[in-house]
Amino acid sequence: MNRDLERRYRRMLAWYPEDFRAEHEAAMLDCLHEASPPSRRWPAPREGASLLAGVIRARGRARVGSSSGDVWASGLRIGAFLALGIQMALCVQRWNYDWSHRAVFLTDKPQSQLMNLVWTAALIAALPLGRRVRLAAAWAAAVMACLTALYSFPEQFPSPFFVNGVWRLLPLVAGLVVPAVLVVHLRRGLESHNRWTLPMALVAPVPVALGVVVADAGTIDVVQVIPYVVLITIAVALAPLDPRLAIACTVAVLPLALLELGQELRSGVLPWAYSVANVEATEILTAVAPFIILAGVSFSRARAWQRLHSP
Amino acid sequence: MALQQPAVFVLASLLDGPLHGYGIKQRCEEISGGRVRLAIGTLYGAIDRLGDAGLLEFDHEDIVEGRARRYYRITTKGREAVASEATAMSQAADIIHARLRLSAVPGASP
């Protein structure tokens, strides 16, 4: 196996949990070395897919005796992957919507949708890298999220092409700020996270939410945003207990999306929930579908794991 | 405790003695007639789970061309598990063969 291929495989193996790597990384590299022809420079697609699936399986399993740091790190990575999924779902959904109107990918700012995808992917790519890179990626993500608040002032603040000016994406953006803050503190799987980690993660969605409220005062009020902020805060507080609960950092939109739909169906029975057009509620539900599926897979894996351990 | 197919073949490959990762992969292909081709991620996922469940364990480590090569061996509990799984598979096969014989008889209900 040449050095380029080894380096690429090492990057993929860096996504496995610390304890898994400590036990298997060297042996896996040896195995990959034996399985690769000398001329190969890039990972075989089948092996690459298998390694990525292995990462998700390894991180989705509730490890007996895991430290809280491992749990944090696993939750963060799962949440980041899911955030990428939701961004991709939004892109696909937008494409379909516009296709039905015979206009391919014609949104007011199609490139901003793609940029959301790009910076989510960049955040994920930064996770296994050095602390400085993570810090830079997290700050870039946080700044990008806060810039969404400015789109409503096109005269004073003409929003750049990479800012997504769709306010209903607020929970997604806020959900990404939470992982971004955690990324800053990720050090050896957050085993040494300090006393500021949780408070910072808890308050991260607040400025984003308030910024959008201020910027869009004509159509959104604080009451509409409070449930999102509260849900995300609860999700972050629960994250250390179980990695699957950390999924809620980016899935916080789900209960509110359901409320949103209920609000539509019951004609304003819940005045404190969102009041948006049906099509928007449907869009959000479409976007969270990958979350539901992946959360279901995660739970079923965890149950299978428990069965495997039962005497 | 139900084992998935890759796990069953990983355990079966170790019945003849300790093997390292690539050895297990090759042995699985050999004993399955090429039907089970394990990717490395799948293989080590199975090894990790089976190790945690006490069905296989670390045997020894060699250094080959500067690389660590870990050998694994099946445990007593692993032998029992793979034997139990083989019995269950055999019983399932018997049931299906019986059904096939029945359905092949003219006039028999499908």
Side-chain angles (χ1 to χ4, degrees), chain A residues 174-211:
Chain A
L176 285 172
V177 173
V178 177
V181 172
L182 293 176
V183 166
V184 175
H185 293 271
L186 186 67
R187 192 165 56 225
R188 293 191 60 212
L190 277 178
E191 282 163 9
S192 56
H193 67 276
N194 62 32
R195 63 196 169 99
W196 294 107
T197 304
L198 189 59
M200 283 184 68
L202 288 173
V203 301
V206 176
V208 181
L210 291 180

Side-chain angles (χ1 to χ4, degrees), chain A residues 201-284:
Chain A
L202 288 173
V203 301
V206 176
V208 181
L210 291 180
V212 175
V213 170
V214 171
D216 216 353
T219 54
I220 307 176
D221 60 34
V222 176
V223 177
Q224 287 177 315
V225 177
I226 283 175
Y228 278 139
V229 177
V230 169
L231 266 180
I232 294 170
T233 304
I234 292 171
V236 175
L238 291 175
L241 302 178
D242 190 309
R244 288 158 297 174
L245 292 176
I247 292 171
C249 290
T250 43
V251 186
V253 68
L254 176 59
L256 283 182
L258 294 173
L259 274 178
E260 201 172 322
L261 194 61
Q263 171 81 345
E264 287 301 314
L265 298 175
R266 298 169 71 180
S267 306
V269 174
L270 301 170
W272 47 272
Y274 265 127
S275 175
V276 294
N278 254 330
V279 63
E280 290 177 342
T282 310
E283 280 180 6
I284 293 175

Side-chain angles (χ1 to χ4, degrees), chain A residues 6 16 20 23-24 26-28 30-35 46-47 50-51 57 61 63 305 307-309, chain B residues 1 20-22 25 37-45 47-49 52-53 65 67-70 72:
Chain A
E6 181 170 337
Y16 278 91
F20 189 100
E23 193 171 342
H24 300 297
M28 286 176 85
D30 176 61
C31 198
L32 289 163
H33 171 77
E34 283 193 272
R46 181 168 177 265
E47 294 296 357
S50 155
L51 289 175
R57 275 198 301 270
R61 276 164 45 189
R63 286 206 154 243
W305 177 244
R307 279 200 300 274
L308 197 65
H309 275 81
Chain B
M1 179 178 60
H20 69 297
Y22 192 66
K25 176 179 158 65
R37 294 178 63 230
L38 296 175
I40 309 300
T42 309
L43 171 64
Y44 276 89
I47 288 175
D48 191 55
R49 283 193 300 276
D52 284 348
E65 297 175 9
R67 298 174 188 282
R69 182 166 290 178
R70 290 170 70 90
Y72 304 91

Side-chain angles (χ1 to χ4, degrees), chain A residues 110-130:
Chain A
Q111 64 274 53
S112 69
Q113 193 84 54
L114 287 175
M115 284 307 295
N116 267 0
L117 191 63
V118 169
W119 68 258
T120 307
L123 195 62
I124 292 171
L127 284 174
L129 301 180

Side-chain angles (χ1 to χ4, degrees), chain A residues 80-128:
Chain A
F81 267 117
L82 293 179
L84 186 63
I86 204 169
Q87 296 290 355
M88 292 173 75
L90 280 169
C91 278
V92 171
Q93 194 276 337
R94 176 62 64 185
W95 182 290
N96 289 340
Y97 177 82
D98 291 323
W99 184 263
S100 67
H101 287 72
R102 298 184 181 181
V104 179
F105 212 76
L106 185 64
T107 64
D108 54 345
K109 275 188 163 186
Q111 64 274 53
S112 69
Q113 193 84 54
L114 287 175
M115 284 307 295
N116 267 0
L117 191 63
V118 169
W119 68 258
T120 307
L123 195 62
I124 292 171
L127 284 174

